[in-house]
Amino acid sequence: MAKVAVSEALMRVADRCVQIMGGIGVSGDTVVEQIFREVRAFHMNDGPTEVHKWSLAKKVKRDFLAGRAE
């Protein structure tokens, strides 16, 4: 759950930085461009975030149903 939350927060912040900087934010050797590239790699590392969300949802559902059966 932490990986999903952190990667989404980082992606939002990096995207907003690029939006503020405009075209300069993704061109050349700016800090914003470097951070955006690294955040994209982190976002995709160890599988896409959507896959993690699906597996977390399955686990929560399974735990919920197991708790109701008891």
Side-chain angles (χ1 to χ4, degrees):
M1 288 201 273
K3 192 261 184 210
V4 171
V6 169
S7 67
E8 286 189 352
L10 285 172
M11 204 54 211
R12 267 193 314 273
V13 170
D15 183 57
R16 288 182 184 158
C17 288
V18 169
Q19 291 293 323
I20 291 169
M21 297 286 290
I24 296 171
V26 290
S27 63
D29 289 329
T30 62
V31 174
V32 173
E33 184 257 344
Q34 179 183 1
I35 291 171
F36 189 73
R37 277 189 288 121
E38 290 175 5
V39 168
R40 284 295 293 167
F42 178 76
H43 193 70
M44 293 181 287
N45 191 20
D46 196 30
T49 304
E50 291 300 319
V51 174
H52 289 292
K53 286 181 183 178
W54 293 336
S55 65
L56 286 170
K58 286 179 186 176
K59 182 179 178 354
V60 168
K61 181 181 176 184
R62 191 171 41 241
D63 291 349
F64 176 75
L65 293 175
R68 288 181 60 189
E70 294 175 357

